[in-house]
Amino acid sequence: MLEPLLGSTNCERVLIFLAAREEGYLREISDFFETSPAPILKQLEKLENGGVLFSRLVGRTRIYGFNPRYPFLKELKSLLDKALTFYPEDIRARLLESRRRPRRKGKPL
Amino acid sequence: MKALSEMSVGEVAAYVAEHLRQSSINVVLTGGSCVSIYTDNRYLSYDLDFIEEGRSTRKKIAACLREIGFQERDRYFTHTDTRFFVEFPSGPLAIGDEPVGNIAQLEFATGSLRLLSATDCVKDRLANYYHWKDRQCLDQAIMVATDAEVDMEEVERWSSHEGMAEEFKRIKELFNRAA
C-alpha cells in the first residue's frame, strides 16, 4: 500500500506494525508478517539510524518504537493511521489486538 | 595553530566544521557539545553532533575528515590525538517538529562554528527531558539558561507547542531559582 512511497514492503510492515502497537521487537514483527527476521532487522536499523525510530534493551530484547523527537512524526503517524484503515479487516484486527497490560507470573491461563 | 590534543570542544568543532566547509559541506553543531560551549565546560561532552545542511554523501564526508586524521568507526569519526569524536545524526535540523530558525555563529582561532543558539540549545535539551524523562538534560538546560542569554518566553512558547505547557510551568521555578 505504502510500498511505492517507502520503497520497501518490509519498511511498510515495520511502520504499520509500530503504528498499530506503538512498540515491537524483531521476532514479533517478523512472526506477525510470517517473514524472515533479516530484512525486517535491516529496516529497523535503517529507520533507527534515520531518527524515525528509537530502540531500547529490555532484558535481552531490543524494543523499537517511534522516536518522539522525529520532526515529521505527527504527519507520519497520520499517514500510517490512514493506511491502516485500508488494511484487510483480519490483519487490522490482529495488529490492534495485543495484550499489553501486565500478566502475573505463573497464571495458569 | 594549537595541536588538536590541546584544543577545547569549541576549537575542535570549529576546526572540523571549517575543514568541511572548504569542501562545500556545511554543518551545524547540535546536542550536548553546544551545552559545553555555552557553559564554558561546566558540562563536558566529547560527542560532536553535526547536522549537515545539504545532501553530501557519507563517503564525501568521510574522505574530507580523513584529510585531517579522523577515521570512520561505525557511525563515528575518531582521532588518535583527541577524545572528541564526530557524529552526523540524521537531519533535518529541527527541535521538536519545528525547523531551527536562527543559527548562531562563534569564531574560534581554528575557524568559524555554526551552532544552535543558546535558546535553541535549551529547547534541544528540554526536548530530551520532555520526551525521554532525562533529568540530566533538564540540568543542562538550566545551566545554559544561567550562563548564556536565553529567550525564556520563546522556550515557553515552544514548550506549549510541544504539548508540554504544564510541565514547563512546573520546571520554570527551577530556571528562576538558578538565574
Side-chain angles (χ1 to χ4, degrees), chain A residues 49-50 54 67-69 71 74, chain B residues 75 90 96-97 124 127-128 131-132:
Chain A
N49 288 338
F54 78 97
N67 178 0
R69 295 202 57 182
K74 201 167 60 185
Chain B
R75 292 167 55 199
S90 165
D97 66 358
D124 176 57
N128 286 334
H131 297 300
W132 305 113

Side-chain angles (χ1 to χ4, degrees), chain B residues 19-167:
Chain B
H19 189 75
L20 290 168
R21 186 160 33 251
Q22 283 165 18
S23 297
S24 303
I25 302 168
N26 294 310
V27 293
V28 176
L29 186 71
T30 68
S33 46
C34 292
V35 178
S36 298
I37 290 170
Y38 286 120
T39 63
D40 202 14
N41 291 332
R42 278 211 288 149
Y43 165 78
L44 183 55
S45 167
Y46 289 100
D47 185 356
L48 304 177
D49 287 331
F50 285 109
I51 302 273
E52 205 249 317
E53 290 189 286
R55 291 192 60 84
S56 296
T57 62
R58 180 87 181 174
K59 206 171 157 185
K60 185 179 175 188
I61 291 172
C64 186
L65 289 182
R66 242 189 333 266
E67 291 168 3
I68 53 171
F70 280 87
Q71 299 297 326
E72 191 171 8
R73 188 181 301 166
D74 298 326
R75 292 167 55 199
Y76 308 99
F77 293 88
T78 59
H79 195 294
T80 49
D81 293 349
T82 181
R83 289 178 70 185
F84 295 107
F85 59 95
V86 177
E87 192 181 355
F88 293 88
S90 165
L93 190 59
I95 301 174
D97 66 358
E98 293 183 358
V100 170
N102 298 320
I103 293 164
Q105 182 160 330
L106 295 176
E107 303 299 326
F108 293 87
T110 51
S112 291
L113 176 66
R114 300 176 73 234
L115 73 167
L116 293 181
S117 68
T119 301
D120 283 336
C121 179
V122 167
K123 285 153 55 174
D124 176 57
R125 296 294 92 186
L126 283 182
N128 286 334
Y129 171 68
Y130 290 152
H131 297 300
W132 305 113
K133 311 285 176 232
D134 186 332
R135 172 72 204 209
Q136 201 187 26
C137 282
L138 173 60
D139 293 342
Q140 291 166 19
I142 293 169
M143 273 192 240
V144 173
T146 310
D147 291 5
E149 200 172 308
V150 169
D151 181 350
M152 289 307 290
E153 281 180 16
E154 166 58 16
V155 175
E156 185 166 10
R157 181 208 62 78
W158 169 83
S159 296
S160 299
H161 180 76
E162 285 287 296
M164 296 290 169
E166 284 304 310
E167 184 58 24

Side-chain angles (χ1 to χ4, degrees), chain A residues 44-102:
Chain A
L44 286 167
E45 288 177 342
K46 183 188 80 176
L47 291 164
E48 186 181 15
N49 288 338
V52 182
L53 303 183
F54 78 97
S55 73
R56 68 175 198 280
L57 273 177
V58 177
R60 294 173 63 188
T61 305
R62 186 163 291 282
I63 306 280
Y64 292 86
F66 285 106
N67 178 0
R69 295 202 57 182
Y70 182 56
F72 310 119
L73 184 58
K74 201 167 60 185
E75 291 78 6
L76 175 63
K77 279 189 164 176
S78 294
L79 177 67
L80 294 169
D81 285 345
K82 179 155 186 181
L84 198 55
T85 64
F86 284 82
Y87 266 63
E89 181 56 38
D90 60 323
I91 297 181
R92 197 168 75 240
R94 282 201 299 124
L95 270 171
L96 295 172
E97 135 201 317
S98 157
R99 184 191 176 96
R100 294 278 151 158
R101 62 191 184 278

Side-chain angles (χ1 to χ4, degrees), chain A residues 4-70:
Chain A
L5 269 180
L6 300 171
S8 151
T9 305
N10 287 314
C11 185
E12 175 172 341
R13 286 171 167 166
V14 166
L15 291 173
I16 279 291
F17 187 94
L18 295 178
R21 297 199 180 178
E22 292 291 331
E23 289 190 332
Y25 54 93
L26 172 61
R27 181 62 70 176
E28 188 183 25
I29 302 170
S30 61
D31 283 355
F32 183 89
F33 291 106
E34 295 172 353
T35 186
S36 64
I40 297 291
L41 178 62
K42 191 175 159 195
Q43 295 303 320
L44 286 167
E45 288 177 342
K46 183 188 80 176
L47 291 164
E48 186 181 15
N49 288 338
V52 182
L53 303 183
F54 78 97
S55 73
R56 68 175 198 280
L57 273 177
V58 177
R60 294 173 63 188
T61 305
R62 186 163 291 282
I63 306 280
Y64 292 86
F66 285 106
N67 178 0
R69 295 202 57 182
Y70 182 56

